[in-house]
Amino acid sequence: MRRKLPGDAPPSAAGAAGAGHAPSASAPSEADLAQLSAAIAAGEDLGPFVRRAFACGRPEPLLASLRAAARDREAEIEELCRAHFHDFIRAVDDLRSLLADADALKGSLSASHSQLLSSAAPLLASLESFLAARSLAGNLSSALASSRRCVRLLALAARANAHLQAGNHGLYLALRAVDAIDRDLASGPEPLPLPTLRCMLLSVVPAVRAHAEREISREFSDWMVSIRAASRHLGQVAIGRSAAARQRQEELRSKHRPLEECITLDDDGVGDLDDFAAAAATADAADGAAAASFDLTPLYRAMHIHQTLALGERFKKYYLENRKLQLTSDFDVIAATPFLESHQVFFSQIAGFFIVEDRVFRTGGGLTSRPDVDTLWDAAVGKMVSVMEDNFSRMQTANHLLLITDYAALLSATMRRYGYPVGMMLDVLAKHRDKYHDLLLADCRRQVAEALAADKFDQMLMRKEYEYSMNVLAFGIQSSDITPAFPYVAPFSCTVPDICRIVRSFIEDSVSFMAHGGGGDTYAAVKKYLGRIVSEVVDASIQKLVDSGSGLSVSQAMQVAANMSVMERACEFFTRHAAQLCGVPLRAVERGRRDFPLRRSRDAAEALLLRLLCAKADEFMRQSDGVNWMADDPPPGGNEYANEVIIYLETLTSTAQQILPLPVLRRVLVAVLAHISERIVELFLNDSVKRFNANAVTGIDTDLKMFEAFAEGMSSLFVDSDQESAKNEMKAALVEARQLVNLLMSNSPETFLNPVIREKSYNKLDYRKVAIISEKFRDSSESYFSTFGTRGARQNPKKKSLDTLIKRLREAS
């Protein structure tokens, strides 16, 4: 608001003057004025109005309008000032009073400022000194920190150098020191203030790392060479421990065998041996826990150093590749020497290799993985299987095959303890089970043949008790539990213990193969092969000896037959021995026992003895040529041949009682007497005997009675059997000759034609033989028949009956 001053023109005059000029310019329209007024009242921008006015080239109307509007506003302002004039006056007075106060305050402030300046001058000087000191202290602190950093880095470098001088054991500590140097240089708050020191340290760090890598690689290479050399010994020790564990298990089983016999059998005849098996497994596990020690420190040091150098994966690959090369070179062990000589070294090297790998896998912290180890093991098993297949196919000696098989089985047991699968190796061993036993049977066949060829078939003489124990008790072939007096004459020859040793050795070798490499049911397989050696080797060899004869005498043939009786007890021992070695209770063996397996050779031996005895009897029977078939009187003591045969049989029996078992002696005597009976009948049928008379028949009857008396006397020997049945069996052997003699001495030989009587009294006679013999008897003179009946003119009834018999027999033929 502007105060009205003197000389100012009144508004009305100004408005009049302005109005006086209006006609000189075109007056704005009412709409434009209204619009402009509204814009000014609203405080809007007047720029568009101005631009339009100048664009039309007529700004004067606008200027006039604006002046009019200004005058209106001035009028309003003057009106407002008139209304508030006193308020303005008071405000000016207050302002003047305030200016006076401000001048007083200004003076006071100036005095205070001067006083403050005079008081703060020493403080300002002290502050400047403090700031200078603080700046100096900061510089010194920075210098000390840099010095300490340099000292620390130099100390780390000196420590790394000291660790390097300590050898490979300090490599890791040296690397830690240089790693600390590297971290300080890389992540420090500011660069090292000494460029020379920094350059030196930056060159030392990679040099130390390269040196550490070279040294640890050299140490690792030396360890690889040493561990390969140590693997062979390690494998030998581990396999030896497996062999010792197996031996302890077998000893434990042998101690428990008496207990096994008391164990209840199941349906298959096998005892419940769970407790025993658990005890054996516990002992084996305790032994397997003790492993040979070997040093893996260089390997783990190398792995740790490479991991520190961020080369862990490269080292793992390097380790695996080198171990593969070592395993491949281990396979070449068998190339230079025969497999029989190098198989232990070959298997031991591989066993040691994988024992090391197992330890590395379990304690190496991921150096190797299970697939890596399995791959190596699969390659090793494939190679071992190939080598064994090739060499087994060319082997011709059972002992060599057993030696390799046993060591391979020990290797399998050792590696199974470390968790490696060994099924393929055991399959190879089981696959060659038949070949091994075939080779073993061939060796046994040769040994049995040599034993039989060297035997003179005399009773074995034992002078000392240890000989009795070694040859009799060892095979359970004693006939009594009482130890005999020495010297002792055994009822068998030296062949029996020799064969027993051969078969026992075969059983032990078979059990060893089956138990440690054959797989399957050990006892069933051993029993099968035991049956083969008994039947295919022992039985066949003895039968071959017997069938060939080989110039055996009667006493030797008798000894062979006696041996067969003892071999029957030996076969029982073989079965028990196999069961004991396989851990099978004996009650199961007793329950499944079969017939005597040497039946064929036993029957052949008895048949040979019988042939020789019959041949000897035939020699004496040939003296029957001196028999007077038309004698005037019967021989008072029988014919000479009969006495010779009886003497020989009695002598033979007294000797045979000391050798042959009673059942064998009984069978032989019965067969010999039956042969004598046939020979007596053949005497009548002999073509050289054209006719004979009753005196000759009486002499034959006397001979026959002598044989019957001998048979009756021999029947008393068999006290363990039914005496009556033995007596009847002996006499029954002579029944054909007795019936023939009875028929010839009968007053009514025609009764032979009666079926009832013939079945009762002459059932052993052949009617054709009776016809031939009767015709020879008929050829006697008339006076001959008078001896059988009443003398007279009429025909002898016996002759008549005999003629009838002959006639009827001719008609029947």
Side-chain angles (χ1 to χ4, degrees):
M1 184 181 296
R2 183 172 62 86
R3 185 177 297 179
K4 186 176 179 181
L5 298 177
D8 287 344
S12 61
H21 291 288
S24 63
S26 59
S29 63
E30 292 295 335
D32 291 336
L33 292 175
Q35 188 176 3
L36 180 62
S37 297
I40 293 172
E44 295 179 358
D45 186 15
L46 300 180
F49 294 98
V50 176
R51 285 193 295 272
R52 187 175 63 181
F54 279 97
C56 295
R58 294 185 299 175
E60 291 80 5
L62 176 61
L63 181 60
S65 299
L66 291 175
R67 287 174 179 171
R71 284 194 298 273
D72 292 340
R73 292 294 184 268
E74 287 180 354
E76 293 177 1
I77 293 171
E78 289 178 356
E79 185 66 27
L80 183 62
C81 289
R82 289 190 194 97
H84 299 284
F85 176 77
H86 296 287
D87 293 333
F88 284 116
I89 295 299
R90 284 194 298 271
V92 171
D93 293 340
D94 291 339
L95 182 58
R96 287 177 178 174
S97 175
L98 182 60
L99 289 175
D101 293 337
D103 289 338
L105 180 60
K106 182 178 178 181
S108 176
L109 288 176
S110 178
S112 298
H113 175 65
S114 299
Q115 184 180 1
L116 178 63
L117 290 177
S118 62
S119 300
L123 293 178
L124 290 176
S126 299
L127 178 61
E128 290 177 358
S129 299
F130 169 74
L131 292 176
R134 188 174 67 176
S135 177
L136 179 61
N139 293 334
L140 292 175
S141 298
S142 178
L144 289 175
S146 299
S147 300
R148 292 191 187 97
R149 183 181 178 190
C150 292
V151 169
R152 185 174 67 256
L153 292 176
L154 291 174
L156 288 173
R159 188 186 308 167
N161 187 50
H163 289 317
L164 290 177
Q165 291 178 355
N168 293 338
H169 296 282
L171 287 178
Y172 175 68
L173 297 177
L175 288 177
R176 290 188 60 184
V178 297
D179 285 344
I181 294 174
D182 191 27
R183 286 194 301 271
D184 187 277
L185 294 177
S187 60
E190 58 184 12
L192 199 65
L194 298 177
T196 304
L197 178 61
R198 177 180 175 84
C199 293
M200 185 271 291
L201 293 177
L202 288 176
S203 63
V204 164
V205 170
V208 172
R209 287 175 175 171
H211 174 76
E213 184 179 1
R214 287 194 303 270
E215 291 299 320
I216 202 64
S217 297
R218 185 181 300 111
E219 182 186 20
F220 173 71
S221 299
D222 295 340
W223 177 84
M224 289 289 286
V225 174
S226 64
I227 199 64
R228 183 185 180 192
S231 294
R232 180 180 305 174
H233 174 70
L234 180 62
Q236 290 173 347
V237 171
I239 293 176
R241 290 180 181 273
S242 296
R246 186 175 71 184
Q247 181 64 29
R248 286 195 298 272
Q249 187 175 357
E250 291 176 354
E251 292 174 358
L252 184 63
R253 184 184 293 113
S254 64
K255 291 179 182 179
H256 284 73
R257 276 173 188 155
L259 182 62
E260 293 174 14
E261 297 302 322
C262 300
I263 300 176
T264 304
L265 300 179
D266 58 17
D267 295 337
D268 297 330
V270 179
D272 184 7
L273 303 179
D274 291 342
D275 295 337
F276 165 70
T282 301
D284 183 68
D287 177 76
S293 61
F294 49 93
D295 188 14
L296 295 178
T297 303
L299 172 65
Y300 294 155
R301 184 185 297 119
M303 180 185 71
H304 198 44
I305 294 299
H306 281 84
Q307 287 178 344
T308 304
L309 295 172
L311 302 174
E313 292 301 324
R314 191 181 75 177
F315 178 74
K316 291 180 182 179
K317 297 172 68 175
Y318 178 73
Y319 171 79
L320 186 61
E321 290 173 358
N322 279 271
R323 290 296 279 172
K324 286 181 180 179
L325 292 175
Q326 282 193 348
L327 182 62
T328 303
S329 63
D330 290 341
F331 293 155
D332 297 335
V333 172
I334 59 173
T337 56
F339 186 65
L340 182 64
E341 300 176 8
S342 62
H343 73 278
Q344 292 189 0
V345 175
F346 175 64
F347 288 142
S348 299
Q349 189 75 41
I350 293 179
F353 180 94
F354 284 99
I355 291 173
V356 172
E357 284 303 309
D358 177 73
R359 181 70 64 84
V360 171
F361 170 71
R362 289 187 290 108
T363 62
L367 177 59
T368 59
S369 62
R370 174 54 65 184
D372 294 336
V373 178
D374 290 343
T375 301
L376 292 175
W377 175 248
D378 292 340
V381 169
K383 181 64 176 180
M384 289 187 290
V385 167
S386 175
V387 170
M388 287 192 295
E389 288 275 9
D390 179 61
N391 286 275
F392 283 171
S393 63
R394 291 185 280 106
M395 282 188 178
Q396 299 300 323
T397 304
N399 289 337
H400 295 170
L401 189 61
L402 177 61
L403 183 65
I404 296 174
T405 298
D406 184 63
Y407 208 79
L410 289 174
L411 169 68
S412 300
T414 302
M415 303 318 295
R416 185 190 293 114
R417 184 181 302 173
Y418 288 93
Y420 292 100
V422 293
M424 290 181 62
M425 294 188 62
L426 296 180
D427 290 341
V428 172
L429 301 182
K431 178 180 177 181
H432 291 83
R433 180 175 64 186
D434 288 338
K435 178 175 181 177
Y436 166 75
H437 284 89
D438 290 340
L439 295 175
L440 200 61
L441 287 172
D443 290 343
C444 293
R445 186 177 292 107
R446 176 183 53 79
Q447 296 174 14
V448 170
E450 292 175 354
L452 291 174
D455 192 7
K456 297 180 180 179
F457 295 103
D458 294 329
Q459 289 179 286
M460 193 173 182
L461 178 63
M462 303 176 197
R463 301 182 182 277
K464 302 293 182 179
E465 185 174 356
Y466 80 89
E467 295 180 355
Y468 180 79
S469 176
M470 181 175 61
N471 294 302
V472 179
L473 297 180
F475 308 110
I477 54 177
Q478 68 273 16
S479 57
S480 174
D481 294 335
I482 301 174
T483 303
F486 297 96
Y488 168 69
V489 179
F492 52 83
S493 65
C494 62
T495 298
V496 173
D498 288 344
I499 292 178
C500 289
R501 290 188 189 92
I502 294 170
V503 177
R504 182 180 63 182
S505 176
F506 174 86
I507 294 172
E508 293 170 352
D509 290 342
S510 178
V511 170
S512 177
F513 184 92
M514 295 301 304
H516 309 312
D521 187 354
T522 301
Y523 177 65
V526 172
K527 185 169 65 173
K528 181 185 77 171
Y529 291 114
L530 174 59
R532 286 189 60 185
I533 188 175
V534 172
S535 61
E536 297 179 13
V537 176
V538 179
D539 192 37
S541 298
I542 297 177
Q543 189 173 3
K544 181 179 179 181
L545 172 72
V546 172
D547 292 342
S548 64
S550 300
L552 295 177
S553 63
V554 173
S555 61
Q556 290 176 326
M558 188 181 302
Q559 188 62 64
V560 173
N563 289 349
M564 298 311 300
S565 178
V566 180
M567 286 300 298
E568 185 170 359
R569 294 196 296 272
C571 288
E572 297 176 0
F573 162 77
F574 299 151
T575 304
R576 293 196 305 270
H577 187 58
Q580 288 177 345
L581 292 179
C582 296
V584 177
L586 295 182
R587 285 191 291 175
V589 177
E590 295 291 338
R591 192 169 68 179
R593 181 174 297 171
R594 299 183 301 174
D595 295 337
F596 180 46
L598 300 176
R599 181 182 296 275
R600 290 183 301 172
S601 57
R602 181 189 65 184
D603 295 343
E606 293 182 10
L608 173 63
L609 176 60
L610 181 60
R611 287 198 304 271
L612 295 176
L613 291 177
C614 291
K616 196 67 177 178
D618 290 343
E619 292 180 6
F620 294 110
M621 294 291 288
R622 292 190 188 97
Q623 298 179 12
S624 62
D625 295 342
V627 175
N628 188 357
W629 294 99
M630 297 300 293
D632 294 333
D633 296 308
N639 295 293
E640 184 65 23
Y641 79 90
N643 293 321
E644 295 291 339
V645 173
I646 292 297
I647 293 173
Y648 175 72
L649 291 178
E650 290 176 349
T651 304
L652 174 70
T653 304
S654 63
T655 304
Q657 291 179 33
Q658 308 300 322
I659 302 176
L660 289 177
L662 291 180
V664 178
L665 178 59
R666 178 177 174 178
R667 289 195 297 269
V668 170
L669 289 178
V670 169
V672 171
L673 291 176
H675 179 74
I676 292 174
S677 174
E678 293 176 0
R679 293 293 293 159
I680 290 176
V681 174
E682 290 176 0
L683 290 178
F684 290 99
L685 293 172
N686 198 327
D687 293 338
S688 62
V689 179
K690 303 299 182 180
R691 59 183 181 174
F692 58 88
N693 59 18
N695 291 331
V697 175
T698 302
I700 297 298
D701 179 58
T702 303
D703 298 340
L704 193 56
K705 288 179 179 178
M706 293 171 59
F707 289 124
E708 290 174 344
F710 170 79
E712 187 173 357
M714 288 298 102
S715 62
S716 62
L717 294 175
F718 312 111
V719 294
D720 293 336
S721 59
D722 187 357
Q723 294 187 8
E724 190 64 29
S725 63
K727 180 179 179 180
N728 293 336
E729 186 180 11
M730 288 288 184
K731 295 184 68 175
L734 299 167
V735 65
E736 184 180 9
R738 169 49 62 192
Q739 289 180 1
L740 178 61
V741 171
N742 288 343
L743 178 63
L744 294 177
M745 296 182 67
S746 173
N747 290 327
S748 302
E750 185 183 0
T751 57
F752 177 79
L753 300 174
N754 188 328
V756 177
I757 297 176
R758 184 173 60 189
E759 181 64 27
K760 180 180 179 181
S761 303
Y762 308 110
N763 57 341
K764 298 297 182 181
L765 295 180
D766 188 330
Y767 75 94
R768 290 185 295 270
K769 294 180 181 180
V770 171
I772 296 173
I773 294 173
S774 298
E775 288 183 354
K776 293 182 180 182
F777 194 33
R778 182 174 180 271
D779 289 343
S780 302
S781 63
E782 290 289 330
S783 60
Y784 170 82
F785 290 100
S786 63
T787 61
F788 291 97
T790 306
R791 297 180 183 271
R794 58 189 181 87
Q795 187 180 11
N796 191 316
K798 180 172 182 177
K799 183 178 183 301
K800 182 179 180 181
S801 177
L802 186 62
D803 291 340
T804 303
L805 174 62
I806 293 172
K807 181 179 178 181
R808 296 285 297 276
L809 290 176
R810 285 177 178 175
E811 293 175 355
S813 62

